[in-house]
């Protein structure tokens, strides 16, 4: 059964955040809120967690996982950025954007797109997510919590707990979060290509 953590949306309880981070270090797979919508997350080196995400969402090997990063310094460790891309991405973060970029050697091979060697990265504008990432000290491997056959992401913590109780180790709930997925911008071909319109304003990349 998944543990349920009720976290204050503006002043996350440090002890609760620490408990969730410890569970992640111990191999947990969690559902947590972001500024776009709920996501599934585990540590970079958690092979089992990654396979559980694939199983829950029925994802194939071409799926771009996202590294949820605390800040730009952390993001820069995991993707390659030239000066133009650096400026464009930095100007849009934190926010509801996912950027697809060439991965560095810090990214485990199993997280990269098998042909392009790319990975998704983003810096959320969400107090609870940022607190958790700061406590963890590393990115969370993440994927939007949309169940197979459904068009809309799950938005209620209690419903996630109810439906995925035996598939998750923990649910972090801080009340209402976003209901629209991120805008996805692919920089792997050089210039920006908006591949999904979502919560972030896409016009700055068009």
């Amino acid at each position: 059964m998944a543990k349920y953590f009720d976290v204050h949306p503006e002043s996350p309880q440090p002890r609760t955040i620490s408990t969730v981070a410890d569970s992640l270090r111990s191999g947990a797979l969690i559902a947590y809120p972001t500024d776009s919508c709920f996501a599934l997350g585990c540590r970079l080196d958690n092979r089992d967690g990654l396979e559980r995400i694939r199983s829950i969402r029925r994802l194939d090997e071409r799926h771009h996982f996202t590294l949820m990063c605390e800040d730009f310094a952390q993001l820069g460790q995991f993707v390659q950025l030239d000066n133009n891309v650096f400026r464009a991405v930095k100007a849009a973060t934190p926010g509801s954007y996912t950027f697809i970029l060439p991965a560095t050697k810090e990214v485990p091979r199993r997280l990269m797109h098998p042909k392009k060697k790319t990975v998704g990265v983003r810096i959320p504008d969400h107090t609870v997510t940022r607190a958790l990432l700061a406590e963890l000290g590393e990115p969370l491997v993440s994927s939007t919590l949309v169940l197979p056959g459904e068009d809309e992401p799950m938005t209620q913590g209690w419903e996630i707990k109810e439906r995925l109780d035996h598939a998750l180790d923990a649910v972090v709930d801080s009340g209402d979060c976003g209901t629209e997925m991120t805008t996805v911008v692919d920089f792997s071909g050089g210039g920006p290509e908006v591949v999904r319109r979502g919560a972030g304003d896409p016009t700055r990349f068009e």
Side-chain angles (χ1 to χ4, degrees):
M1 289 179 61
K3 294 179 180 178
Y4 184 82
F5 296 96
D6 190 4
V7 181
H8 193 281
E10 296 172 4
S11 302
Q13 304 92 316
R15 182 176 294 179
T16 303
I17 293 296
S18 178
T19 299
V20 176
D22 284 343
S23 70
L24 285 162
R25 293 186 189 104
S26 298
L29 173 63
I30 70 169
Y32 67 100
T34 77
D35 51 334
S36 57
C37 42
F38 270 93
L40 298 168
C42 66
R43 287 185 67 200
L44 270 171
D45 62 356
N46 189 346
R47 288 176 176 267
D48 177 66
L50 191 68
E51 290 311 310
R52 289 164 68 189
I53 293 175
R54 289 188 190 278
S55 176
I56 290 168
R57 292 207 52 205
R58 296 182 194 163
L59 301 172
D60 63 27
E61 64 174 12
R62 296 184 303 278
H63 177 74
H64 265 113
F65 284 96
T66 297
L67 300 183
M68 193 76 72
C69 299
E70 178 192 359
D71 53 29
F72 204 83
Q74 190 179 77
L75 180 149
Q77 298 175 39
F78 297 94
V79 289
Q80 299 171 36
L81 299 150
D82 65 26
N83 288 338
N84 290 335
V85 175
F86 175 93
R87 286 192 292 270
V89 172
K90 193 163 180 28
T93 57
S96 298
Y97 297 92
T98 299
F99 300 102
I100 297 172
L101 290 157
T104 68
K105 61 183 180 181
E106 301 296 322
V107 179
R109 203 171 190 82
R110 61 185 174 276
L111 296 181
M112 300 180 193
H113 187 283
K115 292 184 178 179
K116 297 180 180 179
K117 308 304 180 198
T118 49
V119 69
V121 286
R122 88 179 194 90
I123 301 172
D125 189 12
H126 192 280
T127 301
V128 173
T129 314
R130 301 285 290 276
L132 179 57
L133 291 167
E135 179 66 26
L136 187 62
E138 62 183 89
L140 274 173
V141 177
S142 296
S143 184
T144 305
L145 184 37
V146 183
L147 294 182
E150 299 187 8
D151 297 323
E152 299 292 326
M154 299 184 75
T155 59
Q156 301 293 328
W158 62 266
E159 183 187 12
I160 294 168
K161 160 76 170 163
E162 195 173 81
R163 293 184 65 180
L164 297 175
D165 201 24
H166 296 289
L168 300 173
D169 299 303
V171 176
V172 179
D173 191 0
S174 60
D176 291 343
C177 68
T179 58
E180 191 175 9
M181 290 184 276
T182 56
T183 291
V184 178
V185 184
D186 188 346
F187 277 101
S188 63
E193 179 189 357
V194 177
V195 295
R196 183 178 74 197
R197 291 171 172 270
D201 180 9
T203 57
R204 64 165 67 205
F205 297 106
E206 294 177 332

